[in-house]
Amino acid sequence: MKKGFWLVLLAILFGGVIVYALWYINKRGELQNNSKDSFIPCNSALVININPGVALSSKIKTAFASDIQELEKLLLYKAAYALSNSDLISSTSKVMALRTEGKDKLVSLFVMDNKNVLSGSDIVDFLQKNFGKSAGTFRKYDRYKIHSLQAEKEEIYYAVEEGMVLLSDSELYIEDALKQFEQKSEGIEQQAQFQQINKYFSASAGLNVFLNASCFADLLPMFIQTKKLFPHLDIASCFRWGALDGELQEDGIGLNGFMDYAGLEASFMKTLEGQKPGEAGIDAIIPADVASFFVLNLSDFKAYLTALDNYRYNAGLIEQIRKRKQEYTKLLGKDYETELKELLQGEFVLVNMAFNERESRNEGIVIAELKSGGLCKTWIEKIIGNHARLTNVHPDRYVHKYAVDREQSFTYYTCPEEDMPAVFWGYLFEGIPAKYVLIQDNYLIFGSSEKVIGDFIRSYVHRNFIRDTDWFKKIKIKLSAKYNLAYFANTEMMMPYYKAVVKKDWKQYMQSREEALSVFTALAMQWSNEGGILYNTSFLSTEKSKDRKQPHLLWQTKLGARISMKPVPVTNHVTGEREIFVQDENNDVYLLNDAGRVLWRLALGESINSDVVQVDAFRNGKLQYLFSTPSRLHLVDRNGEYVGNFPVTLKADTKAGMALYDYDKNKNYRIFVPCADRRVYLYDIRGQLIKDWKSGKTDKDIVTRVNHYRIGDKDYIVYADQYRLYIQDRKGKERIKISNVFDLWENTELYLTRRNGKMVLAFAGKDGAVNIVDFQGKVEKVNCIGPASGFHFNVADINAGSDVFIFTSGNRLSVYDLNGKCLYEKELDAAGLDFPYVYRFSGADVRIGLLDKVKSQMMLLNLKSGMSEGFPINGDSPFSIIFADNGNFYLFAGVDNGSLIKYKVQR
């Protein structure tokens, strides 16, 4: 009997264990299958899924270190961070949700996976032990427990239920989260956007972001004056929800996903339906120096206008637009809109050029691409005529001129009505009053002031466009090449505007964090409508750009390629004004006037390898430009046309380039060209060989230009090959025989200087020593820098009447007297110093101009006072400095891989 009892008892116990095990396995699996999105209340505005391993970049961490420290002091974030880094939480993603409560309270909810799904006591003990200042309390909410945790003046709430840990600074948020789960588990239908939101996300992304538009529209006004930013746009009606994948990269923060606006008839995004994304070309006309711009890129402009009318009708805006267009008909003429519609292509841009803080408004332009600029000019003149007649104003009062220089001017007009772009193409284009209008090429440009019209014209003349700026090129590659709508912003330039549209508290924050916020350099967002879905890509960049506005920069003109030579100041023989002659790496030469306008461009096919000199070939006071390339001599007039039988093909190629001399200053020019056949040829200004010149063949390839010196009543023609120096008379006969053997670099420069009371030649050899040769044939070697793998050498007077030897090598600048004594030596913050040019500002103020080719920086150095004010500045070509009649000094140089600048040098 007893034995049977125990057997029955064991059977019951064994059965109970099996039932419990089955229940445990089933319950654990059920809890583990619970998803975090089941606990996200439907009235959450923003949901962020944070995947394992994601972290802010070092740049952002450093910039906002103090803000991060303050955030980490808050009890909620301190507890959430500690939990997520403990072994109590599964190493899966964490979710943070945000919403507003009450009038202006922002609250957060963290949702994390509990590793021990069947017990929450470990979590409760951990939080109470680490953060509780008093005994923790809890209260029942249906079948759940909501705990509270207090520390000083802060109180947070949490629940450990259904395999999840919920943590919030709002008890109500915890309740709603539990209610959300309870309803879902009971099969009660939820809002569509919160059902399995993970299906919209990429698991490999660092972040997943979900926007609930109706609630996000309530959250945004806590930070931004939305009516100031979007006067006629209801954000809640733009889209229902959005799902974005985010990446925290070292060079910025990227978001990529899509927006759903199905069923929202009053959504502006419906105007993009059926529009194929395409590559926009309008950035070829947008000025470089702008703060931000919006691009609207349409494949079917007429369909957009129809959709725009439908949107305006559904948004309740159509009546005021119709009323305005009726007024336009009276003022501008019956068919004004139809005629303009036929001229438009489909690309539009609103450009913010600056923010007027005093008047709290943007200055800028609106640009529309045209099929025909000529026909649009006719349209403008027609509607102006109608407007002038009805307002009793003479049409000439509408016409204005902007003079770039004395030779070129542009015509623009007073715009009849300031709201034309917004009325014609949508409220996207409001905020920039159309006070003036200009037609340039095939573009219609509306401007908010005469100043911005002038700024646009100058950018156009100088070919300075946004597509060539460093910040735009860097952020553009982060986006798709094809889109319908895009926004690009230089965040530093836009900061005054951003501060003007945020709420007061955030404005104060931004003002106190200007240095930290400067870590963000550019912002780009784009939208593309494909198959009824609005795809969105955004990128907030922290990559520093090379664009740096110089305070004393007078103009910058974009050429075809990087400048390949030292700009040459020349004289306009008609006006006497200064002009600039320069060549780029495409081997095109340009002549620019002093205002920076390109007067002409000429393709050479080869690079210039000589000085560019002005000559009076016809002795009539008109000047031409003479120079050489490896295979030809060139003589070009001031209109960019070749003179006579030029270009002249040389007998053989030249590396050292031509040199021109006028022996007796009577314009009987002689042109020396050392060629690869080891002969020196002499030409006259017509490009004919001089028969009396009888120079023989050199022993080796010639490595210097041909130099002419007159000492006393004798002329000396001097040049060298790699090992030998040649001193001849004007007919090519040897005048002085030099028996010494030298070892010279290619393109060695020969200098004439005075040493110990007599004239001598000075040139550096490969060994770093300076060879001194007098005109009796005596040779002396002066040791200076020693052997170097590469150096540049100059001889100039920087010492009040006494020449010195100047060397650059790597990052080192060295100066020696003519006897080899070191006068100055300094290692500069440079990596590849080029030739040391010398500029004289006054008798006592002589400076050395240097280009660091590696770092693309220009330096101007006084050996006594150091680096000149405003230097170093960006630059990638040797520079020229000229003294102007107004007493100022101006620098001309290449910058930004293809631009020429004029820069005022500070005295």
Side-chain angles (χ1 to χ4, degrees), residues 155-166:
E155 184 173 15
I156 63 173
Y157 306 89
Y158 66 96
V160 188
E161 301 287 355
E162 305 294 346
M164 295 291 164
V165 179
L166 310 178

Side-chain angles (χ1 to χ4, degrees), residues 1 32 71 82 149 209 220 224 227 235 240 250 258 282 336 380 383 497 537 551 592 618 676 738 786 823:
M1 187 70 179
Q32 286 179 332
L71 187 66
L149 193 64
V209 181
L220 206 56
I224 297 173
K227 286 302 178 183
I235 299 171
R240 295 193 306 126
E250 191 59 35
F258 55 90
I282 204 164
Y336 73 93
I380 284 286
I383 66 169
Y497 174 71
T537 302
L592 298 90
F618 302 102
I738 305 298
L823 304 175

Side-chain angles (χ1 to χ4, degrees), residues 103-328:
K103 186 178 180 181
D104 55 0
K105 184 181 179 183
L106 178 67
V107 294
S108 307
L109 170 70
F110 289 91
V111 184
M112 295 175 272
D113 288 295
N114 183 7
K115 187 178 287 187
N116 184 0
V117 294
L118 292 176
S119 174
S121 60
D122 291 345
I123 302 289
V124 174
D125 292 342
F126 175 85
L127 290 174
Q128 189 59 43
K129 178 182 177 181
N130 288 281
F131 303 105
K133 300 298 181 182
S134 60
T137 62
F138 70 89
R139 70 175 180 86
K140 297 286 288 182
Y141 176 72
D142 289 340
R143 59 190 180 93
Y144 303 113
K145 289 181 181 180
I146 299 178
H147 299 261
S148 65
L149 193 64
Q150 290 184 334
E152 297 178 353
K153 296 181 180 181
E154 295 182 88
E155 184 173 15
I156 63 173
Y157 306 89
Y158 66 96
V160 188
E161 301 287 355
E162 305 294 346
M164 295 291 164
V165 179
L166 310 178
L167 192 64
S168 178
D169 49 354
S170 166
E171 188 175 17
L172 182 60
Y173 215 169
I174 297 283
E175 289 182 10
D176 287 350
L178 293 170
K179 186 188 298 181
Q180 178 83 7
F181 173 78
E182 192 70 23
Q183 290 176 342
K184 184 172 183 180
S185 65
E186 293 174 1
I188 299 174
E189 186 176 349
Q190 305 297 307
Q191 292 184 30
Q193 64 262 40
F194 285 96
Q195 293 181 12
Q196 299 178 340
I197 63 173
N198 285 328
K199 71 181 181 181
Y200 303 118
F201 296 139
S202 168
S204 61
L207 297 172
N208 309 118
V209 181
F210 194 90
L211 293 173
N212 179 3
S214 60
C215 298
F216 189 73
D218 295 329
L219 183 148
L220 206 56
M222 294 179 62
F223 305 94
I224 297 173
Q225 302 175 60
T226 51
K227 286 302 178 183
K228 192 169 185 178
L229 188 63
F230 310 111
H232 290 91
L233 185 66
D234 180 6
I235 299 171
S237 67
C238 281
F239 61 95
R240 295 193 306 126
W241 54 268
L244 305 164
D245 290 325
E247 293 293 348
L248 304 184
Q249 304 170 18
E250 191 59 35
D251 61 350
I253 301 171
L255 293 170
N256 187 23
F258 55 90
M259 307 290 191
D260 176 70
Y261 60 89
L264 297 178
E265 295 302 320
S267 171
F268 175 77
M269 299 307 175
K270 287 187 72 68
T271 63
L272 301 179
E273 284 187 352
Q275 300 290 340
K276 295 179 181 178
E279 294 186 33
I282 204 164
D283 57 0
I285 197 71
I286 300 172
D289 192 20
V290 303
S292 70
F293 58 98
F294 249 119
V295 180
L296 178 62
N297 186 24
L298 306 169
S299 60
D300 188 338
F301 175 58
K302 292 182 179 179
Y304 168 79
L305 292 180
T306 301
L308 181 64
D309 279 345
N310 291 334
Y311 156 72
R312 285 169 162 170
Y313 177 82
N314 291 311
L317 303 172
I318 194 67
E319 287 305 318
Q320 61 192 84
I321 295 296
R322 286 174 177 169
K323 181 180 178 181
R324 195 73 181 103
K325 287 186 176 182
Q326 288 170 0
E327 293 171 353
Y328 277 12

